[in-house]
Amino acid sequence: MSKLIGWEKFNRIAHRMIALAYINGIWILFSLVGLIAFGIFPATTAMFAVVRKLIKDEEHFKIFPTFWTLFRTDFLTANGFGLVFLIVAYFFYFDFYFLQMNSGKFQFLFPVLIFVLISSILTLLFFFPVYAHFNLSFFQYIKQSFLIAITSPIEVIAIGASAGFIYMSAIVFPGIIPLFTGSVFSYLATLISFRAFARIEKRKNVQI
């Protein structure tokens, strides 16, 4: 009996790893189809949504058709969020460049920019899990991502550590890049985010 249970566990893990490799390949493919600039955000939101279904063991869904449907239906909305984050990134680039060119002046702005930069990074860390998990209005996704991030320091550290681990692993073993980078990160980030979401469910006593 124990051998049977062990085999079933191994089979489940193997199936999950194959699914993650498949999802990662689709994520790269659809990012390229969207010419990266227009593909990365809708492909990533679709990946997180599909990975969420995988974690929750939802039945009767096929990975590729589900991914394609999510990519297509959320294409404009996801790119809208991508534009928002791109504008924020350009804002930081311009402001830090401006301060560098005016060394000794406006130095009081550095702490403010650093604070806003950290807040933006924290918001982005939780944005994709929040987008896949909740049904909110456009700017509510950004607001809730920020609020969840600042109230979940342990989860923020865990997600950041996961990203760092995957990055270092990709440097040491570049062969995993097309197989287990984006999908594994989304899997870990989603699992970790569930802890924060569970606290919201308990605190507000609502189904999420």
Side-chain angles (χ1 to χ4, degrees), residues 128-179:
F128 292 106
V130 167
Y131 189 83
H133 201 79
F134 296 97
N135 184 20
L136 304 170
S137 61
F138 189 89
F139 287 106
Q140 279 291 321
Y141 282 112
I142 297 176
K143 177 183 176 181
Q144 289 303 318
S145 298
F146 172 71
L147 292 176
I148 293 173
I150 63 174
T151 57
S152 308
I154 295 177
E155 285 76 15
V156 166
I157 294 172
I159 293 176
S162 299
F165 174 77
I166 293 171
Y167 175 75
M168 294 303 298
S169 298
I171 291 177
V172 177
F173 307 104
I176 71 170
I177 293 176
L179 298 175

Side-chain angles (χ1 to χ4, degrees), residues 37 40-42 45 74-89 123-124 127-128 130-132 134-145:
I40 187 67
F41 257 76
T45 55
D74 289 345
F75 186 83
L76 293 178
T77 303
N79 273 309
F81 286 115
L83 181 61
V84 170
F85 283 107
L86 181 62
I87 292 173
V88 171
T123 301
L124 185 59
F127 169 75
F128 292 106
V130 167
Y131 189 83
F134 296 97
N135 184 20
L136 304 170
S137 61
F138 189 89
F139 287 106
Q140 279 291 321
Y141 282 112
I142 297 176
K143 177 183 176 181
Q144 289 303 318
S145 298

Side-chain angles (χ1 to χ4, degrees), residues 17-69:
M17 294 301 293
I18 292 171
L20 288 174
Y22 182 41
I23 292 170
N24 200 79
I26 298 173
W27 171 61
I28 293 174
L29 173 64
F30 277 85
S31 296
L32 293 174
V33 167
L35 303 177
I36 303 298
F38 299 104
I40 187 67
F41 257 76
T44 304
T45 55
M47 175 178 64
F48 270 81
V50 170
V51 166
R52 180 181 178 274
K53 289 178 176 292
L54 191 67
I55 292 173
K56 286 186 165 291
D57 290 321
E58 292 189 18
E59 298 180 354
H60 310 302
F61 90 93
K62 295 181 179 180
I63 292 176
F64 188 88
T66 302
F67 197 107
W68 163 241
T69 299

Side-chain angles (χ1 to χ4, degrees), residues 73-147:
T73 55
D74 289 345
F75 186 83
L76 293 178
T77 303
N79 273 309
F81 286 115
L83 181 61
V84 170
F85 283 107
L86 181 62
I87 292 173
V88 171
Y90 178 77
F91 165 80
F92 286 118
Y93 171 80
F94 176 82
D95 282 2
F96 279 114
Y97 180 78
F98 175 79
L99 291 177
Q100 186 180 13
M101 292 297 100
N102 294 270
S103 181
K105 302 177 182 179
F106 309 107
Q107 297 304 303
F108 64 92
L109 291 176
F110 262 113
V112 177
L113 286 176
I114 294 298
F115 173 77
V116 178
L117 176 61
I118 293 174
S119 299
S120 300
I121 293 173
L122 294 180
T123 301
L124 185 59
L125 279 178
F126 271 90
F127 169 75
F128 292 106
V130 167
Y131 189 83
H133 201 79
F134 296 97
N135 184 20
L136 304 170
S137 61
F138 189 89
F139 287 106
Q140 279 291 321
Y141 282 112
I142 297 176
K143 177 183 176 181
Q144 289 303 318
S145 298
F146 172 71
L147 292 176

